[in-house]
Amino acid sequence: MPKTSARLLALLSLLQARRNWPGTQLAERLAVSPRTVRRDIDRLRELGYPIVTTKGPDGGYRLGAGMQLPPLHFDDEQAVALAVALQLATATAGIEEAAARALHTVRQVMPARLRHRIDTLQVTAVEEVSAPPLDRGVLLALSAATHAREVLRFDYATAAGDDRPRRAEPHHLVTRGGRWYLVAWDLDRDDWRTFRADRITPRTPTGPRFAPRALPGGDVATFVADRFSGGRPCRGEVILHLPAAEVSPFAGDGIVEELGPNRCRLIVDSWSWIGLATAVGAFDTDMEVVGPAELADAFAQLARRYADAATDRSAEPR
């Protein structure tokens, strides 16, 4: 790439990353003179970028809004992030079609190298929640194996902390309850499994190609919902006055969402409301019941039982 073209792309990337740039700072970041920056700004304007000059002691520049969206420049990480964000947006009510069209439009203008990466990123949002950071290399490896329909070989960290080798046919990469999961056919156990992606360490090379199996339930959202509920009819939501990091290791299949340094949301299933209230009470902390009303009633019933038990105990002769 010619030096001037590379510098123009770097300048454009800086203007897209921050609203206002003093001219002297742009010159320092690009290791050129302020005069060169002014010439490059003029070149970008000729290409259709609406760059506004700001007045002041040093002067400056910002990328303004235009009648039409100008060409955009993405580095590799931005392309990956954009593909994930737009695919997650297709599950958001009201913007599904627009998000799908946006992803298609962006893909069309990408170089072949970045377009291939976007094509391998197949993510399904089961619930409208944000997922925590996941190592980009792991995300790409899982997506690539899913897209290519190749057997995935990986080490899987168990709750006990040890790693176990696994082989699976990856079907979908999904987000649920603030976590990433890989839905796959476990070749060693001959059954469907949902693997937490943050516990996966992919191995190379991948295995042979496979013909995808029919997913139980007909679609990935139904499958994941059924798998996590386990058929348990009672689902409740509480806010615990504990850090999410302290709750997650003991939440089982529950969903833990961080709300602050010492607060988190816990969504958990059980076979009965009393059983659910008892399980949540084991965290031994102050809490707030979000719902439903049956869970609040279960807490009230347990409170009466415990109060009666304490009263009966205190009435016994010593």
Side-chain angles (χ1 to χ4, degrees):
M1 178 182 291
K3 184 176 180 181
T4 300
S5 299
R7 192 176 64 246
L8 288 177
L9 289 176
L11 174 58
L12 180 58
S13 180
L14 291 173
L15 290 171
Q16 291 176 170
R18 179 170 145 183
R19 181 169 178 78
N20 292 295
W21 279 98
T24 53
Q25 287 189 21
L26 285 175
E28 291 175 2
R29 293 290 294 269
L30 298 171
V32 296
S33 67
R35 181 180 178 183
T36 299
V37 170
R38 290 194 294 271
R39 287 203 303 264
D40 287 348
I41 291 292
D42 289 337
R43 291 191 181 99
L44 289 177
R45 285 170 174 159
E46 292 173 359
L47 293 173
Y49 291 90
I51 300 175
V52 178
T53 301
T54 58
K55 297 182 179 181
D58 298 325
Y61 305 95
R62 63 181 174 85
L63 191 60
M67 294 299 292
Q68 294 182 338
L69 185 66
L72 300 176
H73 167 63
F74 297 101
D75 59 29
D76 288 17
E77 291 190 358
Q78 289 174 321
V80 171
L82 181 62
V84 172
L86 287 174
Q87 289 193 51
L88 294 179
T90 60
T92 302
I95 64 169
E96 305 96 323
E97 181 182 352
R101 287 191 288 107
L103 180 60
H104 176 73
T105 300
V106 170
R107 179 190 176 282
Q108 292 298 104
V109 299
M110 289 288 181
R113 173 176 54 82
L114 294 185
R115 189 163 58 245
H116 173 71
R117 286 198 168 190
I118 286 181
D119 288 344
T120 63
L121 279 169
Q122 300 299 321
V123 183
T124 302
V126 176
E127 295 180 356
E128 294 177 26
V129 294
S130 59
L134 179 66
D135 182 86
R136 188 168 66 97
V138 174
L139 179 65
L140 288 173
L142 300 184
S143 299
T146 302
H147 178 77
R149 296 176 179 174
E150 294 176 343
V151 171
L152 185 68
R153 301 167 55 248
F154 59 97
D155 292 325
Y156 192 66
T158 66
D162 57 327
D163 291 340
R164 297 182 181 178
R166 307 293 285 268
R167 297 179 307 123
E169 298 175 354
H171 194 283
H172 272 79
L173 184 63
V174 305
T175 61
R176 182 188 187 277
R179 286 194 182 125
W180 294 90
Y181 293 92
L182 179 69
V183 176
W185 176 264
D186 192 324
L187 291 170
D188 298 316
R189 289 157 177 78
D190 201 31
D191 196 8
W192 288 98
R193 290 287 189 273
T194 52
F195 298 99
R196 277 181 49 175
D198 59 322
R199 294 181 178 176
I200 293 177
T201 303
R203 290 186 173 190
T204 55
T206 53
R209 299 196 66 180
F210 62 89
R213 304 168 189 265
L215 192 65
D219 61 79
V220 67
T222 301
F223 170 80
V224 172
D226 291 344
R227 181 55 59 101
F228 275 88
S229 70
R232 296 183 290 267
C234 303
R235 165 172 286 199
E237 179 177 344
V238 297
I239 294 176
L240 302 178
H241 293 199
L242 285 173
E246 294 184 15
V247 174
S248 292
F250 307 101
D253 289 337
I255 300 169
V256 182
E257 176 187 356
E258 183 177 0
L259 299 179
N262 293 300
R263 293 176 78 247
C264 67
R265 186 190 315 276
L266 173 65
I267 303 174
V268 65
D269 302 309
S270 182
W271 292 104
S272 70
W273 294 112
I274 291 293
L276 182 55
T278 302
V280 173
F283 284 100
D284 191 23
T285 184
D286 292 337
M287 65 188 69
E288 307 161 36
V289 178
V290 178
E294 290 86 349
L295 179 57
D297 293 340
F299 274 112
Q301 186 174 346
L302 282 178
R304 289 192 296 270
R305 287 180 182 175
Y306 294 153
D308 291 343
T311 301
D312 292 343
R313 179 67 176 173
S314 63
E316 294 180 359
R318 298 181 181 274

